[in-house]
């Protein structure tokens, strides 16, 4: 019956062609009649080349030529996609019988197949179809050819392709080195499993992480991005298990924000799966302090919709100990010896969802949102011993109990349109991120005599505060590859930041048996920061030389407001920065297929923060009165790099970079003496900021990733650098310089089937204390005198250095793979296995010398288990062969 229907269709088609398309039948292949040509049928079987057994879960694609109504020309497209069943069979129905096709087949562990196929049917010419005695025979021949068996198609094994199995081994190298950036794929990083982004940074080359989780890149603090956009999240609020990769951009081009001073950009890319079908996973873990972590994710891709959802819950307990020994070099010498012990416990939950809507082949609308909530309790005790002229006089016991709660919510809406030309697109997105926190703390200070008796009543203080930060970002980007060797990029960006802080300070009044508000030492303020920018980059290539030149223009306005006790405006100030230009240039010479050489340059800015600009005294610490300087100018940094990259063997890459950074108008601390408004008539030292001379740094960074054996991958990173600070302020000249180095190694071993070991370590040599730079977030530097500012006199920054330190982390993992795309892994890790991560520093000035030592969270053991599942079901994404999707038939298929 089926063959009879096919035969009738061919007869009708031939008669139609004979009547309507004489003379070669040019130009009349469209219309309703073309529907009758979709009667072709390809089928076959994919088998293993050695066993001849059918292969399951092979992705089979049929590619043809489709008429693009916008471009008015034929375009190669995927007509249908299937996944083979257990027996390896595949079948494509309702196909045009004329023209050529491509059959593509790919499977994990096998070489990809890409072959030309067709039905072998040619268009009837003239009246051939009606030739005497031949019409019926020709129809029968065409009918048999329209139902074509492709037979058993053999697929050969490919050991190099086994890495594509996401659930059993990494499909991407752990470290990818490029001239302009390093990409660290962290989804398989063992030592950070079940932890936060802070622990991930400890494993990444070039990055240095201190005891408090602060990250530096080449001895400066980088700007943190999430998915290429600014964020109010901190690193310890981002679960490590949802991070896909981290990009380090040491010298950003004009395409990126110019703010950030002399540091680069740290872009955290979150996981987002767009595989057809559904897949997901669940994970859980526990550490040696009994703290749990839970998480899960799910991704579904069906036709034009991709949906993703992930969630994490992490409990944390952090224990720290510290010692500070300070000698005050005043007319009456004294010594202060401080020991501290702190325990911080709490939790945070992080949830993220995303929706991609593929409107058509060229337009995509994406929606994403995230929410974080956490709370932490901190208990800290301190003992402070005071000695005057080598005589022990008294000691203080200080107890601090604090409770903090934070919430963060963000959303992103983006749209992307692809033009006809590959790579030609325009996109726009809006990002909103909001962070809120509430905190209260109680501090009790009791002074004791040398014999242990109390010295007066305890000083009891209480702080009740809250704050919020809101970021709004609107951005549009345009990309046009004019030719294969020429590319133009442009964009516009507006960023608005609203920040507020409300903090009330109370002291206990023993006469009323209650806490009394002290307005003069309370902190209430807000600020608004607006930055508008536009950029243009032009790239072109001449033989082995590649060039990229760019220019970015930025202007910003800054408004700060002090609030009274009722939260109303009491005083404000406004700073408007004129339009500034930020050029960038990259020149790359391709020595051969494995080697590249590059020169690059960029200019960046570091704008002062709220506290450095606020021209009103802050008496929250009577010994360290702070006042800003609304006349501060931004710091400008010129950055130069020379890089050489060599992929000298398979799986290996060597990158060497020489860099130099020079910063002008360095924002520097300065202390002067003036009337104390808190104690009428007395004088006091005030801490403020001025633009001093400059700071500079230069260095050599070497990174080498290499397979030492089939079972051993080794990555080493060494950074040799010199930092120099030169400042001339009223009454004092200051210069500080030191040559130092930083190193990090990462070993990955495949010790047996399904077993892997990761051993990593880092070493920081003696290094100069970083420059006291501005910019950054609102709260940096608030209410503290820094390195001894309470002692008065002209002072820029403490002279001193960090002492050497090193640490080693270890992790072991066992992987399992089961049927139907299921897998599991069990990871055991321990950080600082030799308890050597002790952070020590020495600082000095005209008025004091100080040594400090801190330890935190050594030898923590963690056990984590993860389970992944997935199904790539052809019924979820199989394209229906409709006229709308295939263009109606033969007029969409090239003959």
């Amino acid at each position: 019956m089926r063959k009879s229907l096919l035969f009738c269709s061919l007869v009708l088609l031939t008669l139609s062609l004979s009547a309507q398309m004489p003379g070669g039948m040019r130009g009349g292949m469209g219309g309703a009649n073309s529907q009758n040509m979709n009667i072709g049928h390809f089928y076959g079987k994919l088998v293993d080349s050695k066993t001849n057994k059918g292969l399951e879960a092979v992705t089979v694609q049929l590619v043809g030529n489709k008429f693009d109504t916008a471009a008015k020309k034929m375009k190669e497209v995927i007509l249908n996609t299937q996944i083979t069943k257990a027996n390896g069979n595949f079948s494509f129905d309702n196909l045009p019988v004329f023209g050529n096709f491509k059959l593509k087949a790919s499977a994990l562990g096998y070489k990809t197949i890409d072959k030309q196929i067709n039905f072998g049917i040619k268009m009837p010419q003239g009246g051939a179809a009606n030739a005497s005695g031949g019409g019926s025979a020709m129809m029968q021949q065409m009918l048999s050819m329209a139902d074509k068996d492709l037979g058993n198609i053999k697929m050969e094994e490919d050991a190099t392709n086994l890495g594509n199995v996401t659930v059993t081994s990494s499909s991407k190298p752990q470290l990818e080195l490029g001239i302009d950036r390093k990409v660290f794929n962290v989804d398989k990083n063992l030592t950070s499993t079940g932890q936060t982004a802070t622990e991930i940074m400890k494993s990444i080359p070039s990055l240095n992480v201190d005891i408090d989780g602060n990250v530096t890149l080449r001895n400066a603090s980088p700007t943190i991005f999430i998915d290429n956009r600014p964020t109010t999240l901190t690193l310890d609020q981002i679960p490590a298990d949802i991070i896909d990769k981290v990009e380090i951009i040491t010298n950003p081009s004009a395409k990126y924000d110019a703010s950030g001073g002399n540091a680069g950009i740290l872009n955290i890319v979150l996981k987002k799966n767009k595989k057809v079908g559904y897949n997901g996973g669940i994970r859980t873990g526990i550490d040696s302090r009994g703290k749990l972590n839970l998480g899960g994710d799910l991704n579904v891709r069906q036709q034009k919709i991709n949906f993703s959802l992930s969630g994490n819950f992490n409990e944390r307990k952090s224990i720290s100990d510290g010692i500070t020994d300070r000698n005050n070099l005043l007319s009456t010498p004294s010594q202060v010896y401080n020991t501290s012990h702190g325990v911080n416990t709490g939790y945070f939950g992080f949830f993220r969802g995303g929706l991609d809507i593929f409107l058509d082949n060229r337009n995509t609308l994406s929606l994403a949102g995230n929410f974080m909530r956490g709370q932490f309790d901190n208990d800290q005790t301190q003992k402070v011993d005071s000695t005057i002229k080598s005589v022990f006089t008294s000691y203080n016991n200080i107890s601090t109990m604090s409770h903090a709660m934070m919430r963060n919510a963000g959303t992103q809406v983006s749209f992307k349109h692809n033009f006809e030309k590959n790579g030609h697109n325009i996109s726009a997105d809006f990002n909103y991120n909001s962070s809120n926190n509430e905190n209260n703390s109680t501090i009790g200070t009791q002074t004791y005599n040398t014999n242990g008796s109390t010295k007066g009543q305890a000083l009891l203080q209480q702080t009740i505060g809250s704050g919020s930060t809101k970021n709004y970002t609107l951005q549009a980007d345009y990309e046009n590859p004019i030719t294969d060797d020429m590319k133009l990029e442009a964009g516009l960006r507006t960023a608005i930041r609203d920040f507020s802080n409300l903090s009330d300070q109370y002291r206990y009044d023993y006469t009323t048996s209650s806490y009394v508000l002290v307005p003069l030492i309370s902190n209430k303020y807000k600020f608004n920061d607006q930055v508008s920018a536009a950029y243009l980059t032009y790239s072109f290539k001449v033989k082995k030389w590649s060039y990229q030149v760019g220019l970015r223009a930025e202007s910003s306005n800054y408004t700060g407001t002090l609030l009274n006790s009722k939260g109303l405006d009491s005083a404000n100030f406004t700073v408007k920065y004129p339009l500034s230009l930020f050029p960038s240039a990259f020149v790359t010479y391709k020595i051969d297929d494995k080697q590249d050489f590059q020169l690059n340059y960029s200019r960046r800015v570091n704008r002062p923060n709220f506290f450095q600009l606020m021209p009103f005294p802050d008496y929250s610490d009577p010994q360290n009165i702070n006042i800003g300087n609304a006349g501060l100018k931004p710091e400008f940094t010129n950055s130069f790099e020379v890089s050489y990259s060599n992929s000298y063997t398979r799986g290996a890459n060597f990158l060497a970079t020489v860099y130099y950074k020079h910063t002008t108008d360095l924002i520097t601390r300065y202390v002067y003496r003036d009337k104390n408004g808190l104690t009428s008539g007395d004088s006091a030292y005030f801490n403020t900021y001025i633009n001093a001379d400059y700071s500079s740094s230069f260095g050599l960074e070497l990174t080498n990733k290499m397979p030492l054996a089939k079972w051993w991958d080794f990555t080493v990173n060494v950074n040799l650098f010199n930092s120099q600070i030169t400042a001339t302020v009223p009454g004092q000249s200051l210069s500080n310089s030191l040559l130092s180095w930083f190193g990090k190694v990462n070993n990955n071993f495949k010790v047996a089937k399904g077993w892997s070991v990761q051993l990593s370590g880092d070493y920081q040599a003696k290094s100069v204390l970083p420059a006291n730079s501005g910019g950054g977030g609102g709260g940096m530097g608030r209410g503290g005198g820094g390195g001894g500012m309470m002692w008065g006199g002209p002072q820029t920054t403490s002279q001193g250095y960090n002492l050497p330190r090193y640490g080693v982390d270890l992790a072991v993992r066992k992987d399992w793979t089961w049927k139907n795309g299921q897998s599991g892994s069990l990871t055991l890790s321990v950080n600082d296995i030799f308890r050597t991560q002790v952070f020590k520093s020495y600082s000095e000035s005209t008025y004091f010398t100080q040594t400090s030592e801190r330890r935190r969270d050594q030898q923590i053991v963690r056990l984590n288990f993860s389970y992944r599942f997935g199904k790539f079901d052809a019924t979820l994404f199989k394209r229906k062969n409709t006229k709308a999707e295939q263009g109606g038939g033969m007029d969409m298929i090239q003959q």
Side-chain angles (χ1 to χ4, degrees):
M1 182 66 182
R2 183 174 184 270
K3 289 190 175 184
S4 299
L5 290 175
L6 292 176
F7 177 76
C8 293
S9 298
L10 281 174
V11 171
L12 291 174
L13 172 64
T14 306
L15 293 174
S16 175
L17 292 173
S18 299
Q20 298 183 28
M21 289 182 276
M25 296 172 288
R26 295 182 301 171
M29 303 303 297
N33 292 323
S34 62
Q35 298 178 30
N36 298 324
M37 303 304 295
N38 294 349
I39 58 174
H41 179 210
F42 283 129
Y43 59 98
K45 184 175 184 178
L46 289 161
V47 299
D48 186 283
S49 61
K50 295 181 179 179
T51 65
N52 279 326
K53 291 183 178 180
L55 295 175
E56 184 181 6
V58 180
T59 301
V60 189
Q61 292 182 333
L62 186 67
V63 180
N65 291 303
K66 181 178 178 180
F67 187 74
D68 191 320
T69 55
K72 304 300 182 183
K73 63 181 182 181
M74 305 303 295
K75 183 179 181 180
E76 189 174 87
V77 296
I78 298 174
L79 299 178
N80 206 334
T81 304
Q82 293 184 5
I83 304 295
T84 61
K85 302 299 182 181
N87 57 7
N89 289 343
F90 65 90
S91 176
F92 296 106
D93 289 315
N94 304 322
L95 300 174
V97 296
F98 301 113
N100 294 316
F101 304 84
K102 286 183 181 179
L103 182 73
K104 296 184 178 182
S106 59
L108 303 176
Y110 289 88
K111 295 181 180 179
T112 300
I113 291 177
D114 189 342
K115 60 183 296 185
Q116 293 277 350
I117 59 174
N118 56 57
F119 289 102
I121 300 175
K122 296 182 180 180
M123 289 292 298
Q125 300 295 319
N130 296 319
S132 176
S136 176
M138 188 186 75
M139 290 300 102
Q140 288 286 353
Q141 181 184 10
M142 293 178 65
L143 176 63
S144 62
M145 296 173 65
D147 197 57
K148 188 167 185 177
D149 184 359
L150 300 176
N152 289 351
I153 302 175
K154 296 182 178 182
M155 300 191 72
E156 298 179 358
E157 290 185 356
D158 183 5
T160 62
N161 195 33
L162 292 175
N164 290 330
V165 186
T166 305
V167 295
T168 57
S169 65
S170 175
S171 60
K172 299 172 290 187
Q174 191 173 44
L175 176 65
E176 299 176 78
L177 297 178
I179 288 292
D180 64 336
R181 70 185 64 196
K182 301 183 186 74
V183 180
F184 194 83
N185 298 301
V186 301
D187 56 333
K188 299 300 179 182
N189 190 54
L190 305 188
T191 57
S192 60
T193 302
Q195 301 187 68
T196 68
T198 302
E199 283 71 29
I200 280 184
M201 303 308 161
K202 295 178 181 178
S203 302
I204 297 180
S206 304
L207 298 182
N208 198 350
V209 184
D210 69 11
I211 191 172
D212 296 310
N214 299 310
V215 178
T216 56
L217 172 63
R218 295 177 179 174
N219 211 37
S221 299
T223 302
I224 306 297
F225 279 12
I226 293 182
D227 290 334
N228 294 303
R229 296 295 181 264
T231 181
T232 57
L233 286 168
T234 59
L235 292 177
D236 58 358
Q237 295 173 353
I238 307 172
D241 296 317
I242 69 168
I243 299 176
D244 181 39
K245 60 185 177 182
V246 176
E247 298 177 342
I248 302 175
I249 307 173
T250 55
N251 203 17
S253 69
K255 183 177 181 178
Y256 296 93
D257 289 347
S259 59
N262 60 355
I265 292 176
L266 197 61
N267 183 38
I268 298 173
V269 181
L270 302 182
K271 292 179 180 178
K272 192 174 185 180
N273 201 328
K274 291 187 178 181
K275 291 182 179 179
V276 175
Y278 68 87
N279 58 88
I282 55 176
R283 48 194 174 269
T284 185
I286 190 171
D287 64 25
S288 53
R289 290 174 177 166
K291 297 303 177 181
L292 299 172
N293 71 82
L294 303 169
D297 60 87
L298 177 67
N299 190 90
V300 179
R301 171 76 182 273
Q302 183 173 0
Q303 295 180 355
K304 296 185 177 182
I305 300 295
N306 184 79
F307 173 74
S308 60
L309 181 68
S310 65
N312 283 78
F313 175 81
N314 290 62
E315 291 183 324
R316 309 285 289 176
K317 182 177 182 180
S318 178
I319 301 176
S320 62
D321 294 280
I323 298 174
T324 301
D325 189 0
R326 180 167 178 158
N327 291 296
N328 298 315
L329 308 177
L330 302 176
S331 57
T332 302
S334 62
Q335 181 185 16
V336 177
Y337 186 81
N338 182 312
T339 59
S340 64
H341 174 77
V343 179
N344 186 286
T345 58
Y347 68 87
F348 74 92
F350 187 95
F351 304 92
R352 178 177 175 83
L355 180 67
D356 298 296
I357 305 173
F358 306 99
L359 303 176
D360 53 40
N361 289 336
R362 293 183 174 176
N363 296 283
T364 303
L365 177 66
S366 299
L367 307 172
N370 62 267
F371 177 78
M372 186 281 300
R373 185 186 185 279
Q375 66 178 44
F376 288 89
D377 295 305
N378 183 54
D379 294 333
Q380 180 172 285
T381 57
Q382 298 182 67
K383 182 182 179 183
V384 183
D385 297 333
S386 299
T387 302
I388 300 177
K389 291 185 176 181
S390 301
V391 178
F392 178 54
T393 58
S394 64
Y395 66 93
N396 292 334
N397 282 343
I398 305 173
S399 175
T400 303
M401 292 184 295
S402 63
H403 174 79
M405 184 176 69
M406 69 283 294
R407 294 179 302 276
N408 185 287
T411 185
Q412 181 183 43
V413 181
S414 61
F415 174 79
K416 184 174 183 179
H417 172 73
N418 293 313
F419 293 95
E420 170 194 345
K421 186 190 305 181
N422 185 34
H424 187 193
N425 63 79
I426 187 170
S427 62
D429 61 74
F430 172 76
N431 289 263
Y432 169 75
N433 196 273
S434 173
S435 178
N436 296 274
N437 65 82
E438 299 173 5
N439 57 82
N440 58 76
S441 62
T442 302
I443 304 173
T445 304
Q446 179 66 64
T447 303
Y448 295 86
N449 296 309
T450 55
N451 60 6
S453 61
T454 59
K455 191 175 182 179
Q457 294 177 318
L459 173 62
L460 303 178
Q461 299 170 285
Q462 188 178 68
T463 301
I464 300 177
S466 62
S468 68
T469 303
K470 293 180 174 62
N471 285 344
Y472 309 84
T473 306
L474 182 63
Q475 182 161 335
D477 298 282
Y478 173 75
E479 184 177 355
N480 185 4
I482 303 171
T483 66
D484 291 341
D485 297 327
M486 197 177 300
K487 184 177 181 180
L488 181 70
E489 294 179 88
L492 300 171
R493 184 177 187 271
T494 296
I496 301 173
R497 179 175 56 159
D498 286 321
F499 181 91
S500 68
N501 179 77
L502 303 175
S503 178
D504 287 323
Q505 304 285 335
Y506 298 85
R507 286 182 180 173
Y508 189 78
D509 187 342
Y510 284 91
T511 60
T512 62
S513 299
S514 63
Y515 282 95
V516 178
L517 177 67
V518 186
L520 198 58
I521 62 174
S522 298
N523 299 319
K524 294 188 176 183
Y525 57 89
K526 64 181 181 179
F527 68 78
N528 176 272
D529 185 18
Q530 302 178 22
V531 179
S532 299
Y535 74 88
L536 179 68
T537 65
Y538 176 66
S539 306
F540 61 98
K541 183 179 180 181
V542 180
K543 296 182 179 180
K544 291 188 174 184
W545 291 90
S546 299
Y547 305 86
Q548 184 196 82
V549 292
L551 183 65
R552 186 179 187 90
E554 283 192 0
S555 67
S556 63
N557 297 323
Y558 197 101
T559 301
T561 304
L562 285 180
L563 307 175
N564 59 26
S565 59
K566 296 181 179 180
L568 303 176
D569 294 2
S570 62
N572 60 71
F573 64 95
T574 301
V575 180
K576 294 185 178 181
Y577 296 110
L579 185 71
S580 299
L581 300 179
F582 302 93
S584 67
F586 291 74
V587 179
T588 305
Y589 176 71
K590 190 174 184 61
I591 302 173
D592 53 38
D593 291 338
K594 296 183 177 181
Q595 301 180 84
D596 294 285
F597 177 79
Q598 186 186 80
L599 301 170
N600 64 64
Y601 161 78
S602 70
R603 184 175 189 246
R604 294 174 64 76
V605 64
N606 196 25
R607 301 180 180 90
N609 63 37
F610 175 82
F611 307 104
Q612 295 166 335
L613 292 170
M614 182 185 68
F616 312 108
D618 167 30
Y619 296 101
S620 58
D621 184 351
Q623 292 182 312
N624 297 278
I625 302 173
N626 290 271
I627 184 170
N629 177 5
L632 281 177
K633 296 181 290 185
E635 298 176 351
F636 288 94
T637 299
N638 291 286
S639 179
F640 303 84
E641 288 188 2
V642 180
S643 300
Y644 168 75
S645 177
N646 187 353
S647 302
Y648 52 91
T649 188
R650 184 175 182 178
N653 200 328
F654 172 74
L655 178 66
T657 303
V658 177
Y659 60 89
Y660 173 76
K661 299 177 184 290
H662 181 81
T663 301
T664 58
D665 291 322
L666 181 68
I667 298 175
T668 312
R669 282 188 181 272
Y670 171 66
V671 177
Y672 66 92
R673 192 172 182 84
D674 201 352
K675 183 178 179 180
N676 189 348
L678 188 63
T679 59
S680 58
D682 294 339
S683 60
Y685 288 106
F686 287 75
N687 303 312
T688 189
Y689 299 87
I690 63 171
N691 288 108
D693 293 348
Y694 66 90
S695 70
S696 62
S697 64
F698 60 87
L700 170 65
E701 183 175 10
L702 305 173
T703 304
N704 191 21
K705 174 185 175 294
M706 52 186 168
L708 297 181
K710 290 183 178 180
W711 49 271
W712 183 5
D713 286 333
F714 178 74
T715 302
V716 59
N717 173 259
V718 177
N719 185 12
L720 180 67
F721 61 93
N722 180 277
S723 297
Q724 179 179 351
I725 304 170
T726 300
T728 301
V729 298
Q732 187 179 12
S733 294
L734 176 64
S735 179
N736 193 11
S737 178
L738 181 67
L739 183 67
S740 182
W741 68 279
F742 168 76
K744 185 175 289 188
V745 296
N746 200 331
N747 298 272
N748 287 279
F749 306 96
K750 297 179 181 179
V751 294
K753 183 178 181 180
W755 287 92
S756 55
V757 177
Q758 181 174 318
L759 181 68
S760 60
D762 66 328
Y763 177 84
Q764 171 66 69
K766 179 180 177 181
S767 60
V768 66
L769 292 175
N772 181 29
S773 192
M780 299 302 295
R782 178 64 167 176
M789 304 313 299
M790 62 178 291
W791 304 109
Q795 181 73 21
T796 54
T797 183
S798 300
Q799 298 293 280
Y801 46 82
N802 292 312
L803 296 171
R805 63 167 181 83
Y806 71 95
V808 178
D809 299 335
L810 175 68
V812 180
R813 185 172 70 188
K814 168 61 177 174
D815 292 309
W816 295 273
T817 302
W818 302 295
K819 293 182 178 180
N820 300 322
Q822 301 177 75
S823 66
S825 65
L826 185 68
T827 304
L828 180 69
S829 64
V830 57
N831 72 302
D832 194 15
I833 57 179
F834 301 120
R835 295 181 62 88
T836 55
Q837 285 286 22
V838 181
F839 289 76
K840 300 179 180 180
S841 65
Y842 171 82
S843 56
E844 65 178 19
S845 76
T846 309
Y847 309 101
F848 73 92
T849 62
Q850 176 176 294
T851 60
S852 64
E853 174 182 315
R854 296 182 64 199
R855 300 171 181 264
R856 182 177 180 181
D857 297 337
Q858 296 177 316
Q859 288 184 336
I860 305 300
V861 180
R862 295 178 174 87
L863 182 66
N864 291 275
F865 176 77
S866 67
Y867 166 77
R868 296 207 61 82
F869 58 88
K871 183 178 181 181
F872 305 100
D873 192 343
T875 62
L876 291 178
F877 63 91
K878 181 179 178 181
R879 294 191 179 204
K880 295 180 180 179
N881 222 334
T882 62
K883 180 178 179 179
E885 289 181 315
Q886 288 204 4
M890 188 173 169
D891 58 327
M892 302 302 161
I893 303 299
Q894 188 176 27
Q895 297 181 36

